[in-house]
Amino acid sequence: MTSASSGTTDVVVVGAGFSGLYLLHRLRQMGLHARLLEKGSGVGGTWYWNRYPGARCDIESFDYCYSFSDELVREWVWSERYATQPEILRYLEHVADRFDLNRLITFDTTAEAASFDQNAGTWTVTTDTGEQITARYLVLATGNLSLTNRPDFDGLDSFTGQWFHTGTWPHEPVDFTGQSVAVIGTGSSGIQSIPKIAQQAEHLYVLQRTPNYSMPARNRAVTAEEMSSIVVNFPSRRRACENSDAGTPLPPATQRAVEVTAEQRRAKYDEGWERGGISALSGAFTDMFGDEVANGYAQDYAREQIRSLVTDPQIADMLSPSHDIGTKRTCTDIDYYQTYNRDNVDLINVRANPISHITPTGIALHDGVIEVDSIVFATGFDAITGALADIDIRGRADVPLSAAWANGARAYLGLQVVGFPNMFLITGPTSPSVLSNMAISIEQHVDWVVDCLAYMRDNGHATIEPTNTAQDEWMRHVTELANATLYPRAHSWYVGTNMDGRERAFTIYIAGCGPYREECDQVVADGYRGFEFDATSTEGTSA
Ligand code: FAD
Ligand code: N01
């Protein structure tokens, strides 16, 4: 094994979010040396970057956390049902301190390129600081939602006010008091930040291209008694999450919406709406994602709620989505719809009246100009593949990942890609990733990868790579599952159509966390079925 300071190491990890931190901990436990490269100046990933007002999780805090350490579970006290960004960031900083991970991380450093040396069986990663690090393994923990999408509006350079992107929010407090502010985008980030900005700004313009469905978060404080009971029951609660579809402990629905009476349907929807949270409606019946009629019932209910919350019927109409509910990520909110009852908030339909360009003092629409002091881009991310494509990754025969993925992302189990031996993805495309509680998916992937490295060490294997047949078969399986649902027909970052010119591709494993875990475990039980090991290059990576 090699020294971490030598320029060579056993494993290079990229990204210090939930994934990278747990990876470092497990790799060290296994006796491997690892270096972690992180673009940001601190740990936390998503929770380091997304500091916009109102940012918080939409999976209950005590499920959106690690389970690997009993002490950590016992020590950490969550204060709210859905923790705020600062609280989650504090948690991840605590994890990094408690498990002494910071000294293995090189901050303010971007992995710009990574190339595989076929003869040596090693990866060399080049950073923006000019360093080259050679390692046997490369693990990309770069995040599904880490590369921001800021549309290239003409004239932004001339804007004399301030502008922000929710995904790269400043560390210093931003004060909109007395200002006229425009928020562009009404996905989860917009829906969380709009109520907060409206409370502070003198005037808020919301520029909406597509309305989205949002469920009430019903956020509340967590009492000491509740937290104690969660800690006592944590192991069984966690097993329930791991075996579920979405990675949450909610009991699965058992009935189809199309098979019950209208009264029974309403009762179930009312119950979900009252409970709140992202699965308020999707958790009510089994067929919301697979049956247009069932989906239509849930849509009707959601639109009815919007009409009941928004006093102006015309605004309520503008806020009412028409797409299949859930196929674009459902949002959760605290007083989002009610915000449009405020006198200082205007909703502008930029599908009907598109943004033309940015002026020095505002935003020019095709029809009219909005004068503003600040602009907030809540325009989302180059999701799922963006952060991976941002690194010049070259596998066997110098083939770029961009070429291997020219017709859409391909991977076996979302963990490895043909042609890129010893490169692992955490929550990569074709895994349940973004359709799950990602804390559950991340722990499972990290465990799988680290166990695989231990297996390779114990069996004298130097490289691992999926076979073409296994990857093709997995892709076919993932696509077949998705095509039985309404998901692929959405316009959303789930299918990549939020990015200009991107081919529509749905690359998420839809059957859920539990079935996926079983698939991964079975592959291991079958002797890493679908993977090929190579023992020809067994020398270490030491300098
Ligand atoms: P990230 O947290 O994205 O971390 C990746 C890190 O890699 C980043 O720090 C980035 O700077 C770094 N990086 C990327 N490329 C490079 C490079 N080339 N060189 C160096 N460093 C690099 N999921 C849920 O399950 N529940 C939630 O409630 C939830 N809420 C969310 C709220 C917001 C605002 C957002 C944006 C996402 C949310 N998600 C949620 C998804 C969230 O991204 C994951 O839950 C999780 O935090 C991902 O962790 P990660 O470590 O895999 O990736
Ligand atoms: O991004 P989005 P997000 N002109 O892509 C609009 C997670 N997350 O940052 O729909 C005008 O969802 C775009 O319009 P349209 C969660 O997984 C979770 O909000 O493309 N508008 C859309 O309204 C989430 O799904 C939380 O027509 C433009 C918006 O910008 C994911 O991150 C909180 C435009 C982008 O919405 C991404 O969410 C935050 C343009 N040129 C994030 N370009 C929680 O609640 C884009 N838009 C836990």
Side-chain angles (χ1 to χ4, degrees), residues 46-47 50 52 54-59 145 149 151-153 165-167 184-192 207-212 328-333 350-351 355 377-381 383 434 491-494 497-498 500:
T46 288
W47 305 101
N50 290 263
Y52 60 82
R56 56 173 80 233
C57 56
D58 63 1
I59 298 285
L145 294 158
N149 166 37
D152 198 11
F153 292 115
H165 191 291
T166 49
I184 304 177
T186 50
S188 299
S189 304
I191 282 178
Q192 284 189 328
L207 278 60
Q208 172 187 272
R209 190 165 67 181
T210 314
N212 210 345
K328 208 175 166 83
R329 182 160 173 119
T330 302
C331 307
T332 58
D333 70 273
V350 292
R351 186 169 297 284
I355 298 169
F377 294 96
T379 45
F381 300 88
V434 293
H491 156 74
S492 132
W493 62 263
Y494 283 164
T497 54
N498 65 322
D500 289 342

Side-chain angles (χ1 to χ4, degrees), residues 15 17-19 38-39 45-46 49 57-59 64 109 111 141-143 438:
F18 258 102
S19 303
E38 169 54 55
K39 208 183 268 195
T46 288
W49 295 107
C57 56
D58 63 1
I59 298 285
Y64 186 59
T109 302
T142 47
M438 294 201 63

Side-chain angles (χ1 to χ4, degrees), residues 363-382:
I363 302 175
L365 307 175
H366 274 218
D367 182 12
V369 177
I370 304 164
E371 297 293 339
V372 290
D373 303 299
S374 293
I375 302 174
V376 173
F377 294 96
T379 45
F381 300 88
D382 184 350

Side-chain angles (χ1 to χ4, degrees), residues 126-143:
T126 307
T127 71
D128 64 341
T129 54
E131 200 181 353
Q132 290 205 322
I133 309 158
T134 298
R136 171 76 55 206
Y137 303 104
L138 170 65
V139 190
L140 298 164
T142 47

Side-chain angles (χ1 to χ4, degrees), residues 22-23 413-415 425-433 440-451 516-517 520:
Y22 180 42
L23 257 166
L413 298 172
L415 283 160
L425 310 174
I426 301 299
T427 65
T430 78
S431 74
S433 63
I440 301 289
S441 293
I442 286 167
E443 276 196 341
Q444 186 234 340
H445 261 194
V446 170
D447 288 339
W448 196 98
V449 170
V450 177
D451 291 349
Y516 174 76
R517 181 179 293 265
C520 292

Side-chain angles (χ1 to χ4, degrees), residues 21-22 24-25 28 95-97 99-105:
L21 293 180
Y22 180 42
L24 277 188
H25 175 66
R28 191 173 47 197
V95 169
D97 288 342
F99 297 96
D100 192 21
L101 304 174
N102 285 303
R103 64 195 173 84
L104 304 175
I105 306 175

